[in-house]
């Protein structure tokens, strides 16, 4: 494991650094877009024009990370210490920022899988993390891409 991924990710920049390390370890291209300032971040639309800091004087930092290759994988890191990770169109909302590296490794190491049910019919993308933590989200049947289909159990 890479050292930067084992420590808590105190800032958005630390999470971006961890994402870059994961991309390098898995030989994946990565593109990062940073939004810095209360007037730029998505959750602070009420900040007003030209207001860059929060009321407490801090400068919020949000980042969007897109990994190249398959599966299609994006990460939106929010200043509130949470993230939105999208895997092949399946969105995992409100993940703690500290879980992002383990989540990405689970997907890229092929430990994530799709579980199907007969009744009610449907699929779920299951991403197991160390420490018996698991994230599950429904997969729309029409959203079952070739990568997701190859992981059905």
């Amino acid at each position: 494991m890479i050292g930067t991924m084992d420590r808590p990710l105190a800032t958005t920049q630390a999470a971006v650094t961890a994402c870059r390390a994961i991309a390098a370890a898995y030989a994946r291209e990565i593109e990062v877009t940073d939004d810095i300032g209360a007037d730029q971040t998505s959750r602070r639309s009420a900040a007003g024009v030209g207001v860059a800091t929060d009321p407490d004087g801090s400068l919020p930092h949000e980042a969007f990370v897109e990994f190249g290759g398959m599966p299609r994988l994006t990460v939106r890191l929010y200043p509130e210490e949470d993230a939105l990770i999208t895997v092949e169109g399946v969105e995992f909302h409100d993940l703690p920022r500290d879980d992002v590296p383990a989540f990405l490794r689970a997907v890229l190491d092929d430990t994530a899988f799709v579980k199907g049910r007969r009744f009610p019919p449907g699929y779920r993308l299951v991403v197991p993390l160390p420490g018996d933590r698991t994230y599950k989200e429904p997969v729309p049947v029409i959203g079952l891409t070739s990568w997701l289909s190859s992981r059905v159990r």
Side-chain angles (χ1 to χ4, degrees), residues 11-13 34-45 47 51-63 77-81 97:
T11 65
T12 299
Q13 190 57 47
D34 292 293
D35 294 318
I36 299 173
D39 58 340
Q40 300 296 312
T41 58
S42 64
R43 292 185 177 169
R44 296 202 171 56
S45 58
V51 178
T53 60
D54 280 345
D56 66 357
S58 65
L59 191 63
H61 176 197
E62 180 175 300
L77 298 159
Y78 296 106
E80 293 86 9
E81 299 181 15
R97 185 167 52 206

Side-chain angles (χ1 to χ4, degrees), residues 21-35:
I22 289 169
Y26 290 91
R28 304 284 296 262
E29 291 186 17
I30 187 172
E31 185 174 321
V32 178
T33 305
D34 292 293
D35 294 318

Side-chain angles (χ1 to χ4, degrees), residues 26 28 70-71 73 87-88 102-114 125-128 146-148 150-153:
Y26 290 91
R28 304 284 296 262
M70 293 298 285
L73 187 61
V87 180
E88 287 291 309
F103 188 100
L104 294 174
R105 282 194 305 271
V107 170
L108 296 172
D109 281 340
D110 290 330
T111 58
F113 60 93
V114 175
L125 178 56
V126 180
V127 183
S146 59
W147 186 86
L148 290 169
S150 70
R151 273 130 189 99
V152 173
R153 289 188 185 173

